[in-house]
Amino acid sequence: MTQYDYDLVVLGAGSGGVRAARIAAGHGAKVAVAEEFRIGGTCVIRGCVPKKLYVMASRFHDDFADAAGFGWTVGEARFDWGELVAAKEAEITRLSGLYAQNLEKSGVEIVRRRGVVAGPNAVAFADGRRVSTRCILVATGGAPTQHPQIPGIDYAISSNEIFDLAEFPQRLLVVGGGYIGVEFASVFVRLGAKTHLSLRAELPLRGFDEDLRRLLRDGLVAAGVDIHAGALPTRIEKTASGLAVTLQDESRLEVDAVLVATGRAPLTRGLGLEAAGVALKENGAIVVDAYSRSSVPSIFAVGDVTDRLNLTPVAIREGHAFADTVFGGLDVAVDHALVPTAVFTTPEIGTVGLTEAEASAKAKRLLVFETSFRPMRATLSKRAEKVFMKILVDGDSDQVLGVHILGPEAGEMAQLLAISLRLRARKADFDQTMALHPSLAEELVTMRSPSRIVERA
Ligand code: NDP
């Protein structure tokens, strides 16, 4: 049998790569992981984790308002951007250190430099070292896509830079209505920035249930976000006091920063994949089978670099399944169905299963249960906040096809609802479940009459 230097070399120490490396090492494999940036990847360093910390920071804005309604006198509230950035930095440094420690404890060698594929069984590191390996796992993730090519676009920043801006942007334009665009618009408006959101569509979050899209738009507007639907920037100019942005509708905005969040693309360029014979999609994503194996049998890929479902827990599950299958003697393919997702705007979105548009195309008779109410927490402060919940039920089988929530803790609810939907819960199961009172989630088991019945034509 051929002797290799390693059983596995992983390219990229993000969520998927780290999990795969640790599990493979636990199965007895000799593993190295190459990382040119900080250990932890997008999620830990400049994605989910710092984003959620900033979301938490922004929500104190509403908490102070609620507190007054409960009899508290809150002194003048002031926000210090520098303190938040520093506290965030300390936390992600701690987490990155833990990731590195856990890799080392598992016996994984960390190579702190870029690695590229030098053949089906070879990896070259940036210091010139070349090693042989039985398998390669590409887990290099994704990066913000090229910004729209308009004059002055170089003045714009991406989500990579927004976390660490030296100065708090008092006036911010966010371009793009996906997860990243709406989350940052929601954060910065609450931290005190005059915030604009420019969308090419009428509503944000394409692909989400239409009611959630509409209600989120309304929630952002209510928080003070100035939404410019169908009006993208055409030019950005530097001025004495910041940036002047011209939009397609000829309006002109004066801002301190422009954040472009128009999508992310797989990071495969310059990795030597084409030369090794690895098939890529048009956007650079690595084509893989259900076991994350590429067109070259010794080369695998997990996470955003495969552009399947670009979410951290999915990358982790794919990395784990790969390691169990290739090094643990198991046969694990990842099931990408019924993945819950949250958008950490305020109001928050939590969703699992089919949207109403998808469900009505699938079910002959779709029962739509809906409720909308003011959360108890906002009643005393009289803050205008609404919770919205929608349950989509197949009228013939009674199976719950999708649940969509907008409001506090919607993400937490979606996580638990995903278990029910995976167990193929019927609406009758929801109805028979005792309510927990008083809670927001009890509404999910107390909706009795459909607000609409959609018959397939
Ligand atoms: P998304 O793909 O979610 O959204 C991209 C947005 O940019 C859409 O609104 C799209 O508009 C718009 N857009 C695309 N191209 C252009 C263009 N040329 N000009 C103007 N607008 C354009 O990307 P994000 O960058 O927001 O997020 C990337 C990924 O990161 C997400 O898919 C998600 O998987 C992950 N993520 C997940 C989070 C979470 O789970 N909470 C949080 C953050 C990121 P249109 O709708 O018209 O196509």
Side-chain angles (χ1 to χ4, degrees):
M1 247 177 75
T2 319
Q3 282 297 305
Y4 295 108
D5 299 324
Y6 295 94
D7 295 309
L8 172 66
V9 176
V10 180
L11 306 183
S15 301
V18 165
R19 174 61 66 93
R22 286 177 52 195
I23 301 300
H27 288 309
K30 185 176 179 204
V31 184
V33 54
E35 174 58 60
E36 62 183 326
F37 189 53
R38 297 169 74 180
I39 307 290
T42 300
C43 179
V44 173
I45 308 298
R46 46 197 184 190
C48 346
V49 173
K51 183 274 308 286
K52 188 86 185 263
L53 293 173
Y54 284 21
V55 167
M56 289 170 172
S58 74
R59 286 182 178 169
F60 284 101
H61 174 277
D62 300 351
D63 293 346
F64 294 137
D66 284 344
F70 288 84
W72 286 91
T73 302
V74 181
E76 189 208 349
R78 274 190 319 104
F79 167 70
D80 189 314
W81 170 252
E83 273 185 37
L84 175 64
V85 173
K88 176 274 297 177
E89 187 52 35
E91 176 58 8
I92 66 167
T93 300
R94 185 184 74 82
L95 288 175
S96 180
L98 279 178
Y99 267 59
Q101 256 177 38
N102 288 338
L103 278 170
E104 276 158 357
K105 262 196 245 154
S106 314
V108 175
E109 177 188 337
I110 302 176
V111 181
R112 289 184 184 266
R113 49 184 57 84
R114 183 174 167 81
V116 299
V117 174
N121 298 96
V123 168
F125 298 117
D127 59 0
R129 187 160 73 104
R130 191 187 155 102
V131 298
S132 64
T133 176
R134 198 180 122 208
C135 292
I136 298 169
L137 178 70
V138 185
T140 46
T145 39
Q146 201 73 29
H147 293 167
Q149 285 314 304
I150 56 169
I153 193 66
D154 289 346
Y155 296 122
I157 56 169
S158 75
S159 58
N160 284 352
E161 292 83 40
I162 188 97
F163 291 109
D164 295 301
L165 287 179
E167 299 272 332
F168 180 74
Q170 298 293 344
R171 303 163 301 170
L172 175 70
L173 167 64
V174 179
V175 184
Y179 282 84
I180 297 178
V182 293
E183 287 182 343
F184 279 110
S186 168
V187 163
F188 277 90
V189 77
R190 283 184 172 73
L191 294 181
K194 171 68 212 153
T195 305
H196 300 268
L197 178 62
S198 151
L199 310 173
R200 68 176 171 189
E202 201 47 44
L203 291 173
L205 291 181
R206 184 163 52 85
F208 280 72
D209 190 86
E210 286 295 309
D211 284 322
L212 293 190
R213 298 180 69 191
R214 197 172 35 75
L215 290 167
L216 176 66
R217 188 258 328 262
D218 296 349
L220 291 174
V221 170
V225 177
D226 208 343
I227 296 189
H228 305 267
L232 293 174
T234 54
R235 159 181 302 274
I236 305 173
E237 288 155 296
K238 193 145 186 62
T239 65
S241 60
L243 299 171
V245 186
T246 311
L247 302 182
Q248 278 167 335
D249 61 6
E250 299 300 326
S251 58
R252 227 171 118 84
L253 308 174
E254 284 279 343
V255 294
D256 300 307
V258 177
L259 167 67
V260 175
T262 50
R264 294 173 60 87
L267 261 180
T268 47
R269 194 172 311 153
L271 281 183
L273 292 163
E274 294 95 326
V278 175
L280 303 180
K281 293 187 204 153
E282 209 175 305
N283 67 351
I286 299 177
V287 179
V288 288
D289 66 12
Y291 296 93
S292 298
R293 190 188 290 267
S294 78
S295 57
V296 175
S298 57
I299 301 181
F300 295 78
V302 295
D304 289 8
V305 79
T306 62
D307 197 23
R308 283 176 279 182
L309 244 183
N310 299 332
L311 297 170
T312 297
V314 176
I316 292 173
R317 189 60 72 83
E318 289 167 358
H320 202 126
F322 150 79
D324 277 346
T325 302
V326 176
F327 298 101
L330 303 172
D331 180 337
V332 195
V334 174
D335 180 359
H336 290 93
L338 290 174
V339 175
T341 186
V343 185
F344 291 106
T345 41
T346 310
E348 185 168 303
I349 282 179
T351 171
V352 58
L354 304 182
T355 62
E356 184 174 335
E358 291 164 344
S360 55
K362 185 175 175 203
K364 267 210 313 259
R365 231 174 115 252
L366 182 73
L367 311 186
V368 183
F369 295 83
E370 287 168 317
T371 182
S372 174
F373 56 97
R374 180 187 277 187
M376 197 180 203
R377 192 187 161 110
T379 50
L380 298 193
S381 59
K382 306 212 169 25
R383 199 158 49 77
E385 184 176 3
K386 278 270 179 289
V387 179
F388 172 77
M389 294 174 173
K390 180 194 269 193
I391 305 179
L392 302 167
V393 179
D394 185 316
D396 291 339
S397 66
D398 199 38
Q399 197 183 333
V400 177
L401 300 176
V403 186
H404 305 278
I405 304 171
L406 175 131
E409 311 300 351
E412 302 286 345
M413 287 185 248
Q415 175 67 87
L416 298 176
L417 284 162
I419 303 173
S420 314
L421 265 65
R422 286 192 65 85
L423 290 169
R424 306 179 69 81
R426 293 163 306 125
K427 179 65 169 57
D429 298 314
F430 277 50
D431 296 345
Q432 282 157 22
T433 301
M434 199 66 83
L436 187 158
H437 184 73
S439 67
L440 300 173
E442 71 180 301
E443 298 289 331
L444 291 165
V445 298
T446 55
M447 284 185 241
R448 288 292 180 265
S449 321
S451 54
R452 269 174 296 125
I453 298 178
V454 185
E455 308 264 0
R456 200 170 60 203

